[in-house]
Amino acid sequence: MSFSYRFSHAICRKPSREVVAGLRAVDIGAPDFALMQRHHSDYMAALRATGAEVLVLEALPAYPDSVFVEDTALCLPQGAVVMRPGAPTRLGEAREMAPHLQQYFRQIARIEGPESFIEGGDILLTEREVLVGRSARTNAAGIAELAGIVADWGHKLREVFTPPGVLHFKTDCSLLDAETVLATKRLAASGCFEGYRVIEVAEGEEACANAIRFNDVVLAPAGFPRTRAKLAAAGFDVVEIGNSECAKLDGGMSCLSLRFTPAP
Ligand code: CIR
């Protein structure tokens, strides 16, 4: 059974009112908190509708970006790795996540080097490898530390590059199945997906590249009809989730959950 897109569990964290102070590359206005809460509930309902159990953590007002739990850990069948976010305001979020992972994973490893930085949004887990994009948040030392940990657990890690000006590697791509990724043209053009089938998002719909394959469905942000049609034509069952408010903070479908299946 696939460990990269079939999951029995997810962890999400409620947004706090402080989310309006979250990091963003460009200020296009404060997110509407009530609307974000509705989108977040829709998102969790869509995960549950596939049969998964969702652990919902309480909001953490001290960390405005803490709704974006993906950046705090990497979950693998053998164990979880607690990240070291490159955004200084987000470092403490990883510490907050660690105790929750303990109930599901026998092994918990940590990125610890004082010069090592890595965020989960830069990691695309596929059936054959752990692809990590170096970015403004994820550096070579962080990637090298992760490579050592996952090698012990039998996974190959390949370092790639997040396009300049793009927050995370997965801002521009998503896994769709064991052979297929969804990606922007700019990322696909870098050649990092050699050996995979690539479905490119429609021109002008780059913000749709961050989707998640979760069991039998693909959760994609609402409002990108041409990419949705491409995914449907390729046989994927797409569930659209409103993402207008998280998008104001450069967040998308993958950022809002940690996805995994605990070992029996
Ligand atoms: C940040 O800049 O860190 C947040 N405002 C958005 C994080 C999005 N996370 C993700 O793509 N995995």
Side-chain angles (χ1 to χ4, degrees):
M1 184 159 111
S2 157
F3 57 83
S4 60
Y5 61 91
R6 297 214 167 269
F7 311 100
S8 63
H9 287 69
I11 299 179
C12 297
R13 188 182 286 286
K14 292 180 192 165
S16 85
R17 286 191 179 278
E18 306 308 316
V19 74
V20 295
L23 299 171
R24 66 206 78 178
V26 180
D27 200 344
I28 52 166
D32 175 330
F33 180 60
L35 183 55
M36 184 187 283
Q37 282 180 309
R38 284 208 292 282
H39 290 162
H40 195 247
S41 298
D42 294 344
Y43 176 89
M44 294 191 294
L47 299 181
R48 286 194 189 101
T50 72
E53 191 177 309
V54 179
L55 174 66
V56 188
L57 303 178
E58 283 310 314
L60 281 179
Y63 298 103
D65 283 300
S66 54
V67 66
F68 303 119
V69 286
E70 170 178 67
D71 294 315
T72 66
L74 171 66
C75 299
L76 292 168
Q78 297 77 11
V81 186
V82 180
M83 298 286 118
R84 231 176 98 72
T89 56
R90 303 199 59 194
L91 251 184
E93 288 176 35
R95 273 194 303 275
E96 294 280 349
M97 182 57 73
H100 301 291
L101 296 168
Q102 259 147 15
Q103 63 185 290
Y104 299 110
F105 294 94
R106 278 194 285 273
Q107 302 193 78
I108 308 275
R110 286 178 175 73
I111 304 294
E112 288 173 325
E115 298 306 322
S116 299
F117 295 103
I118 184 161
E119 297 191 355
D122 279 316
I123 306 174
L124 183 74
L125 177 64
T126 80
E127 285 305 290
R128 59 184 99 149
E129 60 188 343
V130 182
L131 271 164
V132 189
R134 214 194 276 192
S135 73
R137 300 285 183 85
T138 292
N139 65 10
I143 297 174
E145 213 174 311
L146 181 66
I149 295 167
V150 302
D152 288 345
W153 295 348
H155 295 271
K156 267 193 306 196
L157 183 151
R158 180 158 62 96
E159 181 176 333
V160 289
F161 285 90
T162 299
V166 172
L167 175 61
H168 286 129
F169 185 63
K170 272 190 299 189
T171 304
D172 266 28
C173 66
S174 318
L175 184 77
L176 292 173
D177 63 26
E179 284 88 39
T180 316
V181 292
L182 174 69
T184 59
K185 202 184 205 48
R186 64 187 169 207
L187 184 58
S190 75
C192 65
F193 295 124
E194 212 184 299
Y196 292 88
R197 179 164 73 113
V198 178
I199 297 179
E200 284 185 9
V201 298
E203 193 132 3
E205 294 194 349
E206 286 70 23
C208 191
N210 182 271
I212 51 168
R213 170 75 189 271
F214 192 87
N215 297 327
D216 287 336
V217 298
V218 174
L219 269 63
F224 302 96
R226 286 174 298 129
T227 303
R228 184 193 175 136
K230 274 186 154 193
L231 290 170
F236 295 102
D237 186 0
V238 180
V239 175
E240 287 193 335
I241 306 288
N243 191 55
S244 55
E245 305 318 295
C246 285
K248 291 174 184 166
L249 302 175
D250 309 322
M253 295 294 107
S254 74
C255 326
L256 295 172
S257 58
L258 287 171
R259 303 164 291 277
F260 56 94
T261 302

